[in-house]
């Protein structure tokens, strides 16, 4: 599952982090996030700081381990149509069809 469309205009690393968190809503550790986002620790740290500053992630310590979860506004409603618009979708919308 992917983060809501309105949160996808961020850096590639931030979007990758949000997508990974949305996909595993029970939370991920920093090391799990690093493997899902396929990025270096410095880039991941910067992305987590930016997402935390914007209130898009939440953190919780459980059994001495930090778990990071997405804020509920980032998680798409499964009943909504959240696909990325295709070229033809945008063209139809522009032409009013």
């Amino acid at each position: 599952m992917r983060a809501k469309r309105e949160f996808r205009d961020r850096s590639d690393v931030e979007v990758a982090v949000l997508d990974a968190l949305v996909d595993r809503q029970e939370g991920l550790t920093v090391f799990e996030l690093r493997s899902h986002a396929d990025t270096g620790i410095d880039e991941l740290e910067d992305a987590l700081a930016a997402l935390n500053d914007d209130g898009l992630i939440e953190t919780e310590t459980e059994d001495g381990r930090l778990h990071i979860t997405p804020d509920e506004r980032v998680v798409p409603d499964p009943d909504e149509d959240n696909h990325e618009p295709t070229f033809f979708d945008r063209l139809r919308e522009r032409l009013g069809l």
Side-chain angles (χ1 to χ4, degrees):
M1 190 181 301
R2 297 171 54 166
K4 283 185 178 177
R5 198 174 315 161
E6 58 261 30
F7 299 106
R8 303 195 66 74
D9 62 345
R10 307 181 73 83
S11 75
D12 291 343
V13 176
E14 290 176 31
V15 171
V17 167
L18 288 176
D19 286 346
L21 290 172
V22 166
D23 197 39
R24 302 251 328 255
Q25 293 179 35
E26 67 273 2
L28 295 168
T29 65
V30 172
F31 296 112
E32 291 170 326
L33 265 175
R34 185 173 178 205
S35 68
H36 285 281
D38 193 30
T39 188
I41 194 71
D42 292 331
E43 293 86 9
L44 181 61
E45 184 179 311
D46 292 341
L48 290 172
L51 293 170
N52 189 50
D53 289 346
D54 293 341
L56 299 178
I57 60 173
E58 299 172 0
T59 59
E60 173 182 314
T61 303
E62 183 179 303
D63 297 328
R65 295 178 66 182
L66 179 69
H67 285 269
I68 304 165
T69 56
D71 185 75
E72 63 185 41
R73 15 182 213 133
V74 177
V75 180
D77 183 357
D79 297 331
E80 285 183 19
D81 181 18
N82 289 309
H83 77 280
E84 290 291 319
T86 65
F87 169 76
F88 294 108
D89 291 336
R90 291 190 300 268
L91 183 62
R92 277 188 217 108
E93 182 179 310
R94 229 177 185 182
L95 295 174
L97 300 175

